[in-house]
Amino acid sequence: MPRISRLATLNPLAVSITWGAGGSSRVRSMELAGWSQAELGVDTILHLTCTNMEMGMVDEALHAAKAKGIQNVLALRGDPPQGAESWMPTDTRFAHAVDLVRYIRSRAEFADHFCIGVAAYPDGHTDGLPVEQEMTYLKEKVDAGADFIVTQLFYDVANFKSWVNKIRSLGIVVPIVPGIMPIQNYTSFLRLTKLCGTNVPREVWSKLEPIRNDDQKVKDYGVELAISIVNSVISDNEIDVLGVHLCTLNLEKSVRRVLDGLGWSHESHRMSNQVIDETPAVHHLPSDALISPADASTSAMTTLLHPPSSPSLVPLTDPAKPLGTGVGTTWDEFPNGRFGDPTSPAYGVGSGDQWDPGAGGLGVTRLKAISQWGSPETLEDLIVVFVRYLQSDPRTPTTPFSPDPLLDESKLVLPHLLEMTKRGWFTVGSQPAVDGAPSTDRTFGWGPAGGYVFQKAFVEFFCDDKTLQALQQRIDSEASSGWITWFATNVQDDFFTNVQEDGPNAVTWGVFPGQEIAQSTIIERTSFMTWKEEAYGIWAQWASLHPPASKTRKLLEEVRDNRWLVSVVHHDFKDEAALWSFLLEQ
């Protein structure tokens, strides 16, 4: 909410709130949209999808939106339900976005209240539909009563302009709002463009490849590219684009910089270092570049009392602003791994697409899942699946927990991961210890160039009761050393840890020129329990791919019901072998 509040000061035409397709996330979406509309006075566009919308839920959502003063909805079909091979509507009345549009326009209580937007795909739909057919569907949505169009993200400006001319020739005259997503980092760019089927011009790749290991340069280029794209489409009178939809992924700095570069904002958000000086009154530097030793000490102490997991900090030289309202002081600009700061609004974002950035699921169709993971019927079969993945066997290029090939850094601890897996400890996440690798290192680097990054070794795995009890005894016997911290939970919500309730547990951090220490990966109770819900959900989704009475279904459900999810961190980042020796010692 603080982040939306800060962005709202830039006077956007509207803010866009994605729709949670399941349970409590739908409630959160509606609450956030209502808060934005009522408290900030900013027009809100609420995404509304057909996914998992049972009979009556569409009416319920529209009534709630209307009651909260929301007048704009973006009607979407949504992705197929998790694990489904193809789209299967829950309520047969709503199989496509056009059905939502027609329904809203057919109801007197909604028809004149809502302004309806629909999605369009200049680079083609992810379902692989021919572009011409997708244009026909877009025309149907507009003819059914859509008032405006928001496009999927794109980077090929020439193709976008050609696409606009084509749909205009079909008689589509409603406003078109292009989706612009500043590149945040190289990895997320690869994932999102692959997921969305985005055409990336050769010149963009040629600019990105040399800087792919420098997160700050990638982010800077992302801002530069976004400014260039916006200027190109806005200045072209032939396509008549009057505004853009900036996709933030809940990260604000790049969006602010884009607006600054376009001249659409009159604020400067760059944080400056300050010089500690005993006699600032006679110094040649500007007064806002100086700080007294006393104030510097107070500022440092405040920072220690409010570690990076706090929302935001402002310089103490501006006492008029309360904590949590500072601009440019967020701590999540370089997310690195699953476990970020759970207080960050960007936490958990980036695994889905533009319309649902936090979408979960197995990420593959049922047929592809079975072709890669087979139909394991015993624990030994299941071990084979995970071992094949670790060994980069082409038969198993992914697992339900790892949608991408094994990372280079994981290969450095591969013998240990294999040993754990062969014991029946199903490893789902890990990292080796790193002591001051350059921030441009191809394997470990992140953040801006000229810095150094550090990692504590950790591993996540599923194990049985016997293994958990033995591990707990060993950790208890090592308690006085303080080297080991751990979390363990199961599907029944039993929980063990030796970490204090609100204790931060940074496992990845970086030191960069002219900046405070950045902690990009934090493992603590809130983030671990959030991941726990997803992790056990993955076992359930995997099981649901198989018939209820099958041996595979029973095996996967037994693993879900009886195995513990464990995360172990060793704090001696100078000893590469410490964690693995501790875990695998007989």
Side-chain angles (χ1 to χ4, degrees):
M1 288 183 179
R3 187 159 298 185
I4 298 177
S5 298
R6 292 193 294 268
L7 288 172
T9 64
L10 300 173
N11 298 318
L13 183 64
V15 297
S16 181
I17 306 294
T18 57
W19 180 250
S24 60
S25 49
R26 280 201 301 267
V27 175
R28 288 195 296 268
S29 297
M30 187 66 72
E31 289 176 348
L32 183 59
W35 172 84
S36 176
Q37 184 77 47
E39 299 299 323
L40 300 181
V42 178
D43 279 338
T44 300
I45 303 173
L46 177 67
H47 294 201
L48 186 62
T49 76
C50 301
T51 304
N52 292 337
M53 293 296 276
E54 298 176 357
M55 191 74 70
M57 283 188 174
V58 170
D59 280 334
E60 181 182 319
L62 292 171
H63 280 298
K66 185 176 180 180
K68 293 179 181 295
I70 297 168
Q71 294 181 289
N72 308 286
V73 295
L74 188 66
L76 304 163
R77 187 198 72 174
D79 295 327
Q82 295 175 346
E85 174 68 21
S86 59
W87 175 258
M88 292 292 290
T90 305
D91 184 337
T92 55
R93 296 178 302 167
F94 303 109
H96 303 282
V98 67
D99 298 325
L100 283 173
V101 178
R102 288 177 181 142
Y103 183 76
I104 295 171
R105 290 296 180 229
S106 70
R107 297 289 300 273
E109 58 187 321
F110 303 135
D112 295 329
H113 178 80
F114 287 107
C115 178
I116 306 173
V118 292
Y121 305 86
D123 290 335
H125 196 281
T126 52
D127 283 351
L129 296 173
V131 174
E132 292 73 17
Q133 186 175 352
E134 178 58 34
M135 289 180 180
T136 300
Y137 290 154
L138 179 60
K139 180 71 161 56
E140 289 180 6
K141 290 187 284 188
V142 172
D143 289 346
D147 298 296
F148 64 96
I149 295 167
V150 181
T151 77
Q152 179 70 283
L153 65 95
F154 65 90
Y155 297 96
D156 189 336
V157 179
N159 180 70
F160 169 76
K161 292 181 178 181
S162 173
W163 173 84
V164 171
N165 289 327
K166 288 177 182 178
I167 66 167
R168 291 302 190 204
S169 70
L170 296 176
I172 296 176
V173 297
V174 299
I176 298 171
V177 183
I180 309 296
M181 182 177 289
I183 301 171
Q184 298 289 352
N185 63 63
Y186 187 79
T187 302
S188 67
F189 175 73
L190 289 181
R191 182 171 58 247
L192 282 165
T193 53
K194 179 181 178 181
L195 183 67
C196 299
T198 307
N199 178 39
V200 181
R202 183 177 301 174
E203 58 266 27
V204 174
W205 287 122
S206 65
K207 291 285 186 65
L208 277 175
E209 282 299 322
I211 60 174
R212 59 183 296 178
N213 296 309
D214 188 327
D215 286 355
Q216 186 61 61
K217 287 184 179 179
V218 169
K219 192 178 288 287
D220 292 344
Y221 174 66
V223 170
E224 173 190 324
L225 179 62
I227 292 171
S228 173
I229 292 173
V230 173
N231 276 327
S232 180
V233 298
I234 291 294
S235 63
D236 191 331
N237 293 328
E238 291 187 10
I239 61 173
D240 192 30
V241 168
L242 303 178
V244 297
H245 176 217
L246 288 167
C247 310
T248 68
L249 293 182
N250 290 347
L251 294 168
E252 66 181 291
K253 287 186 179 179
S254 288
V255 171
R256 282 184 171 275
R257 291 177 59 196
V258 169
L259 295 176
D260 286 344
L262 291 168
W264 295 358
S265 167
H266 302 291
E267 302 177 30
S268 175
H269 309 289
R270 183 176 180 84
M271 297 296 290
S272 301
N273 293 323
Q274 292 177 302
V275 174
I276 300 176
D277 189 38
E278 291 280 5
T279 57
V282 297
H283 206 287
H284 67 281
L285 293 174
S287 59
D288 60 358
L290 304 172
I291 187 171
S292 71
D295 283 345
S297 176
T298 303
S299 179
M301 182 60 68
T302 301
T303 301
L304 290 173
L305 292 173
H306 300 273
S309 56
S310 300
S312 296
L313 299 176
V314 295
L316 291 184
T317 49
D318 186 3
K321 293 184 179 179
L323 291 175
T325 60
V327 170
T329 54
T330 50
W331 296 87
D332 54 6
E333 288 302 299
F334 300 109
N336 185 55
R338 177 188 305 118
F339 291 110
D341 178 2
T343 66
S344 163
Y347 177 71
V349 171
S351 58
D353 62 15
Q354 172 181 337
W355 311 121
D356 186 6
L362 296 177
V364 296
T365 64
R366 180 177 182 275
L367 290 179
K368 191 172 183 179
I370 293 176
S371 72
Q372 292 186 5
W373 311 328
S375 299
E377 296 182 353
T378 66
L379 284 175
E380 289 72 23
D381 294 341
L382 199 56
I383 289 172
V384 169
V385 174
F386 282 85
V387 167
R388 282 180 177 173
Y389 169 74
L390 290 172
Q391 292 177 331
S392 300
D393 189 315
R395 290 173 292 181
T396 310
T398 69
T399 75
F401 296 91
S402 304
D404 300 307
L406 197 67
L407 295 174
D408 287 342
E409 70 169 354
S410 297
K411 294 177 182 177
L412 297 176
V413 294
L414 181 57
H416 310 304
L417 299 179
L418 284 170
E419 175 63 25
M420 294 179 68
T421 302
K422 290 174 181 177
R423 294 185 184 188
W425 308 353
F426 301 116
T427 56
V428 295
S430 65
Q431 73 177 28
V434 174
D435 183 16
S439 60
T440 52
D441 185 275
R442 295 184 67 86
T443 300
F444 301 110
W446 56 275
Y452 292 91
V453 298
F454 302 81
Q455 292 183 176
K456 297 173 186 175
F458 81 83
V459 65
E460 301 167 15
F461 57 97
F462 288 92
C463 69
D464 58 17
D465 286 331
K466 182 179 178 180
T467 300
L468 183 84
Q469 291 170 9
L471 179 61
Q472 187 171 20
Q473 290 174 1
R474 293 213 56 214
I475 290 175
D476 289 344
S477 69
E478 298 275 345
S480 61
S481 71
W483 284 120
I484 301 292
T485 54
W486 78 310
F487 296 93
T489 189
N490 60 15
V491 75
Q492 290 83 24
D493 288 330
D494 297 317
F495 182 77
F496 297 102
T497 187
N498 59 354
V499 179
Q500 294 180 358
E501 179 73 23
D502 297 319
N505 193 14
V507 296
T508 305
W509 66 99
V511 181
F512 306 102
Q515 299 186 28
E516 297 188 38
I517 292 176
Q519 299 179 20
S520 67
T521 310
I522 302 169
I523 301 180
E524 46 69 76
R525 180 167 185 164
T526 301
S527 58
F528 179 73
M529 295 305 285
T530 300
W531 160 235
K532 168 254 181 181
E533 294 295 331
E534 181 181 348
Y536 283 104
I538 289 173
W539 286 111
Q541 292 162 33
W542 190 2
S544 71
L545 300 178
H546 301 272
S550 66
K551 291 182 179 179
T552 300
R553 177 80 166 252
K554 291 179 180 178
L555 170 69
L556 297 174
E557 289 179 343
E558 286 174 1
V559 170
R560 178 200 63 192
D561 293 341
N562 298 310
R563 295 254 161 172
W564 290 82
L565 174 62
V566 180
S567 176
V568 183
V569 178
H570 200 293
H571 295 281
D572 189 354
F573 59 89
K574 291 180 174 293
D575 185 348
E576 297 177 357
L579 173 64
W580 316 106
S581 298
F582 173 81
L583 288 172
L584 298 172
E585 232 175 50
Q586 296 295 333

